[in-house]
Amino acid sequence: MATDEIYDVIIAGYGPTGMMAAIRLGAMGHRVAVIERYTTLYSLPRVGIIHDDIMRMFQEIGCMEAVLPATHFLPIYELARNGRVLMSNTVAPMATHGWPEMTSVYQPAFEAELDRLARADSNINLFTGETVAGLQQDRESVEVSTETASGETHTYRGRYLIGADGGNSFVREALGIEYVDLGFDQDWLVIDGRSKNDRSMSLPQMRQFCEPEQPGMTMQMGPFNRRWSFMILPDESREEAVRHENVWHRLDRSEGGTPADFDLIRVATYKFRSLLAERWRAGRAFLAGDAAHQMPPFLAQGLCSGFRDAYNLSWKLDLVLHAQAPPSFLDTYEEERSPNARATIIESARVGQNVIERDLERAAQRDETLLRLNAEMQARTSQKSLIAFRVPGYEAGVIARGTDARGVGDVFPQGRVRLEGREGRFDDLAGRGWLILNRNGEAASALTTNDLAFWQSLGGNFVGLGEGEGLVVDIDGTYAALMDEYRCNVILKRPDYYVFGAVPDVTLLPGLIADLRQQLSR
Ligand SMILES: Cc1cc2nc3c(=O)[nH]c(=O)nc-3n(C[C@H](O)[C@H](O)[C@H](O)COP(=O)(O)OP(=O)(O)OC[C@H]3O[C@@H](n4cnc5c(N)ncnc54)[C@H](O)[C@@H]3O)c2cc1C
């Protein structure tokens, strides 16, 4: 069966990356078709932790309140060997994006909320029980064909396609895009337990087991669950590893558990790999999430990177679908996201290397190094974390090119602000989308009528910082500190959480706008 409707965007895969892309695009008013091979959501967790920028996204799409009861703050991230802590990193309770640096979460709870938001949006059509099995594209559109379990076939047409169909992506293969292997490849056992009592809360909140005889980890997962992961050893089969008697044997340790404390809700094996798609775009089709990258989960960044892809691509598609930028503008998606994902994969594997060392001599050297670094770190009054990885900014893509611009491609933080008697997070009170933030007076009057019209066509707004009517009070000095660092008073923020560029004062703002206009017309 073929439909005549041409969707703005077809999304293959209704995992969390596909859900986020659908919610964003639907909210922007685009017609979206999402195709998922399964008929129901997967009801068990894979993801255990999300980072502060993802919490900011949940805040933006409106599901934070509903997700919060399924979360738990992890204050410490430890590396330990047989109970001896080698390094103890303090996790920031309030990080750059206005939320804890890491939050443990029960995945089915947040997926249910994303699902609810997607289903509530009449712009989104969800086709479940259909497997994407063919795709073709021409200069105008993409055509996707699907099959159901009973052998029915359907065809969908869209102006663009997002392949968010996971690690074994059909879309990636159909586009002839290879993964580049960055070198990590190991079988691991993942055990999830539901607490029967309060033992879980007395175990380490987040601990990597740097034990040559058995590398592994454990963490509290949301308020009611606990995860353990263990490397499957070379002389062991996956089938042996998942047998429950072997699982309980592995958990017979001080950071483990017994059937009296936990019900096993899932035991599974996974391949931890580090893979990056060599290209993220082919014509009208794009890859996002695990279809574009896979990483070992030592920094809990895999899905977070998928959410970042969905965010990045959706505002760019929005501009192109509204004819505010040409299709070539969409090349900036890969220019920005691919290096960012690569850096995240490499750092995840590097942290993992500390955990998986099996050579006794090298493990002893590692212990010495970690203990020394830990002692130095604990003696400091500030920075109490060595492995906290901050996702890098963008060095290419939609960032200011002019020599006057500073802060280009940096993360735009979310601090606490006050506006007209209300206190809260910046995004909720000062606004989202394209913003010009200015701390000395008025910025709009510095623009010509033409520039102003361009800015308004993007939905751009102005935010004045300071005390007084209509001005935003920067309660903790978050933006003052950033502007001091840049020696600037004006920041142009993109629709996501990044800085396009900052300039010392409003007289240089027209140059920044001209730069942006040029990039949107490239
Ligand atoms: C043990 C473990 C722990 C992890 N912990 C974390 C963590 O703490 N934090 C974190 O950020 N990440 C973590 N990750 C990574 C995270 O699980 C993945 O990055 C994330 O699930 C990827 O989401 P996705 O939507 O891109 O892909 P998926 O979740 O794989 O979703 C893809 C969807 O596409 C569907 N699909 C596939 N093929 C087709 C087709 N042909 N037609 C139609 N539908 C199709 C699938 O059914 C699925 O619903 C962890 C991973 C593992 C293995």
Side-chain angles (χ1 to χ4, degrees):
M1 189 183 79
T3 58
D4 291 335
E5 175 160 17
I6 298 190
Y7 289 94
D8 290 319
V9 183
I10 297 176
I11 298 174
Y14 194 56
T17 302
M19 289 177 171
M20 182 62 86
I23 292 166
R24 296 289 293 148
L25 287 161
M28 291 167 184
H30 302 294
R31 293 281 298 131
V32 181
V34 191
I35 301 163
E36 166 59 43
R37 63 183 167 180
Y38 295 132
T39 49
T40 53
L41 295 182
Y42 188 64
S43 63
L44 293 172
R46 283 86 76 210
V47 170
I49 290 178
I50 51 176
H51 293 259
D52 51 324
D53 54 337
I54 309 308
M55 301 283 271
R56 190 176 184 181
M57 291 177 194
F58 286 179
Q59 174 196 345
E60 179 166 356
I61 63 175
C63 66
M64 201 61 247
E65 291 303 312
V67 171
L68 272 179
T71 65
H72 175 78
F73 174 57
L74 297 172
I76 303 277
Y77 180 154
E78 294 167 326
L79 277 68
R81 181 170 175 181
N82 303 112
R84 181 187 189 202
V85 175
L86 304 172
M87 176 176 280
S88 175
N89 294 271
T90 305
V91 176
M94 190 54 70
T96 321
H97 292 280
W99 291 95
E101 187 181 355
M102 285 187 200
T103 299
S104 106
V105 64
Y106 186 61
Q107 182 170 5
F110 76 70
E111 274 190 353
E113 286 309 312
L114 297 182
D115 181 49
R116 189 182 55 76
L117 286 174
R119 285 177 193 270
D121 186 337
S122 59
N123 286 321
I124 301 172
N125 282 6
L126 180 56
F127 302 96
T128 59
E130 295 187 40
T131 300
V132 175
L135 83 87
Q136 292 177 25
Q137 53 177 320
D138 57 27
R139 288 173 63 85
E140 304 297 318
S141 64
V142 188
E143 196 174 272
V144 169
S145 49
T146 69
E147 287 167 2
T148 67
S150 60
E152 274 176 56
T153 59
H154 299 265
T155 304
Y156 301 91
R157 280 179 71 207
R159 296 181 63 192
Y160 290 98
L161 168 69
I162 302 178
D165 50 346
N168 297 317
S169 169
F170 168 82
V171 173
R172 185 178 55 77
E173 278 193 29
L175 297 173
I177 298 176
E178 300 282 332
Y179 275 135
V180 177
D181 190 340
L182 299 177
F184 203 99
D185 187 347
Q186 269 179 13
D187 286 323
W188 277 63
L189 171 70
V190 177
I191 305 163
D192 289 338
R194 177 154 296 137
S195 303
K196 290 179 167 178
N197 51 37
D198 53 8
R199 171 165 167 83
S200 188
M201 286 297 180
S202 66
L203 295 177
Q205 296 281 297
M206 168 88 184
R207 176 175 285 188
Q208 304 283 354
F209 306 143
C210 304
E211 293 158 17
E213 62 283 8
Q214 178 59 83
M217 64 80 78
T218 187
M219 61 175 283
Q220 178 69 27
M221 192 165 57
F224 311 113
N225 296 284
R226 175 152 292 261
R227 168 164 293 169
W228 295 267
S229 304
F230 296 99
M231 182 198 279
I232 298 179
L233 302 174
D235 57 357
E236 191 181 15
S237 71
R238 288 160 165 245
E239 293 71 29
E240 279 297 305
V242 298
R243 284 163 54 127
H244 279 205
E245 62 264 38
N246 293 337
V247 167
W248 288 119
H249 180 65
R250 266 198 159 101
L251 295 184
D252 183 13
R253 53 177 295 149
S254 61
E255 302 102 330
T258 68
D261 306 318
F262 297 96
D263 282 327
L264 294 181
I265 57 170
R266 189 184 62 149
V267 178
T269 60
Y270 279 95
K271 253 200 185 309
F272 288 180
R273 288 190 289 197
S274 51
L275 302 172
L276 184 69
E278 55 174 359
R279 287 177 293 129
W280 290 40
R281 174 183 193 179
R284 294 182 164 270
F286 298 85
L287 300 178
D290 275 20
H293 44 72
Q294 292 178 49
M295 60 193 77
F298 298 102
L299 286 175
Q301 289 281 3
L303 173 59
C304 295
S305 300
F307 279 150
R308 289 173 199 130
D309 302 340
Y311 243 64
N312 191 296
L313 186 53
S314 53
W315 70 261
K316 292 175 178 172
L317 279 169
D318 179 54
L319 283 179
V320 173
L321 287 163
H322 281 124
Q324 288 175 299
S328 60
F329 178 69
L330 296 171
D331 288 340
T332 63
Y333 167 59
E334 177 177 339
E335 283 166 23
E336 294 184 355
R337 290 298 313 138
S338 178
N340 191 287
R342 175 185 279 271
T344 313
I345 294 171
I346 289 172
E347 189 62 13
S348 299
R350 194 185 68 76
V351 170
Q353 208 56 44
N354 276 314
V355 182
I356 63 170
E357 183 57 69
R358 304 210 64 214
D359 178 272
L360 290 177
E361 214 167 291
R362 283 200 297 269
Q365 283 164 7
R366 172 210 58 200
D367 293 357
E368 258 178 49
T369 308
L370 291 180
L371 285 165
R372 179 174 49 74
L373 290 172
N374 192 49
E376 286 169 14
M377 179 174 70
Q378 301 306 336
R380 286 192 223 133
T381 46
S382 58
Q383 178 68 3
K384 295 277 193 188
S385 186
L386 280 175
I387 55 171
F389 165 67
R390 298 309 297 167
V391 175
Y394 295 135
E395 290 178 7
V398 192
I399 53 175
R401 309 273 157 82
T403 47
D404 291 326
R406 300 170 195 164
V408 292
D410 283 0
V411 166
F412 181 82
Q414 176 168 234
R416 282 192 317 133
V417 296
R418 187 164 49 245
L419 180 64
E420 287 156 8
R422 290 200 304 144
E423 267 187 28
R425 291 186 168 85
F426 179 93
D427 296 1
D428 290 339
L429 295 188
R432 301 189 162 87
W434 294 99
L435 290 182
I436 291 171
L437 194 69
N438 176 32
R439 72 169 159 183
N440 278 340
E442 224 257 316
S445 56
L447 297 181
T448 62
T449 316
N450 199 299
D451 280 348
L452 209 50
F454 162 74
W455 185 240
Q456 281 161 353
S457 73
L458 294 178
N461 277 316
F462 296 92
V463 174
L465 288 180
E467 302 270 354
E469 207 187 322
L471 295 180
V472 170
V473 181
D474 179 12
I475 297 176
D476 301 320
T478 307
Y479 303 99
L482 193 66
M483 288 179 171
D484 288 347
E485 182 193 326
Y486 296 157
R487 284 177 285 113
C488 285
N489 288 309
V490 182
I491 295 178
L492 196 160
K493 172 194 160 291
R494 312 185 335 168
D496 51 12
Y497 312 135
Y498 287 89
V499 173
F500 175 75
V503 286
D505 61 65
V506 288
T507 60
L508 294 165
L509 185 56
L512 211 52
I513 293 281
D515 194 346
L516 176 62
R517 280 183 98 149
Q518 206 213 339
Q519 293 194 38
L520 294 193
S521 64
R522 76 180 199 162

